[in-house]
Amino acid sequence: NDESVTYQYTEGDVTGLKMTEISDMYEEGNSIEVPDLTELVEAETDIMSAKVEMLDGEETVLIETASNEDGVGEISIKMWYSVNYGIPLKYEMLVNGQVTMTSKVTELDAKSKLDSKLFEAPDGVEFVDFNMDSMFDVPGGDD
């Protein structure tokens, strides 16, 4: 925060990304608003549906997607997003109706104290400048 920079890297890699465009969101005093995920319930499409569902006492929006992949079959993804926090609490991948992968948040502590060293760029990693705005530029598109 002191540098107004966000660093992103994978543990063990020697290169990472240095982003300045998104750091303004995290400056002291700014808060990130949790989106209203319940609006997705009305945005159903042929490949995506959403509904409000309770998960372990937490109100969530269950988003389900499905697709057919050649040589694999039907792939379904289920994601339970917390209405309060806007983060996924549970994830399931199903292939032809069989669960092949699942993950679930078992503990959530929004008030925990984190070691400040977690927010320092590590030695031995070269960070290259990365512009978030360029991710969404479409050649020939309107600005």
Side-chain angles (χ1 to χ4, degrees):
N1 192 42
D2 294 342
E3 298 176 43
S4 294
V5 171
T6 299
Y7 293 99
Q8 180 179 337
Y9 69 100
T10 301
E11 191 78 33
D13 283 357
V14 294
T15 59
L17 302 176
K18 179 180 178 180
M19 298 171 275
T20 55
E21 292 79 15
I22 63 173
S23 296
D24 294 341
M25 296 189 310
Y26 300 106
E27 287 183 13
E28 193 171 329
N30 288 349
S31 62
I32 298 174
E33 190 172 313
V34 176
D36 183 4
L37 296 172
T38 59
E39 292 176 357
L40 292 173
V41 173
E42 298 172 10
E44 188 168 322
T45 67
D46 291 341
I47 61 168
M48 193 247 357
S49 65
K51 65 182 178 182
V52 176
E53 187 173 283
M54 296 301 287
L55 176 69
D56 299 332
E58 178 83 22
E59 185 178 18
T60 66
V61 173
L62 168 58
I63 300 171
E64 297 183 71
T65 62
S67 63
N68 281 302
E69 302 294 328
D70 290 339
V72 176
E74 184 177 319
I75 297 177
S76 301
I77 305 291
K78 295 180 178 183
M79 296 171 286
W80 288 260
Y81 281 84
S82 166
V83 170
N84 291 326
Y85 302 106
I87 60 170
L89 298 178
K90 184 176 178 182
Y91 171 92
E92 284 184 352
M93 175 190 276
L94 296 89
V95 177
N96 297 318
Q98 297 293 315
V99 175
T100 59
M101 187 173 99
T102 187
S103 66
K104 185 176 178 184
V105 172
T106 57
E107 184 177 338
L108 182 64
D109 183 358
K111 305 264 188 230
S112 65
K113 299 290 182 192
L114 298 174
D115 184 348
S116 62
K117 294 219 179 274
L118 290 171
F119 301 97
E120 295 176 7
D123 292 332
V125 177
E126 179 183 346
F127 290 94
V128 290
D129 288 325
F130 181 77
N131 183 339
M132 289 291 289
D133 294 335
S134 67
M135 277 183 56
F136 303 105
D137 286 345
V138 178
D142 295 337
D143 286 23

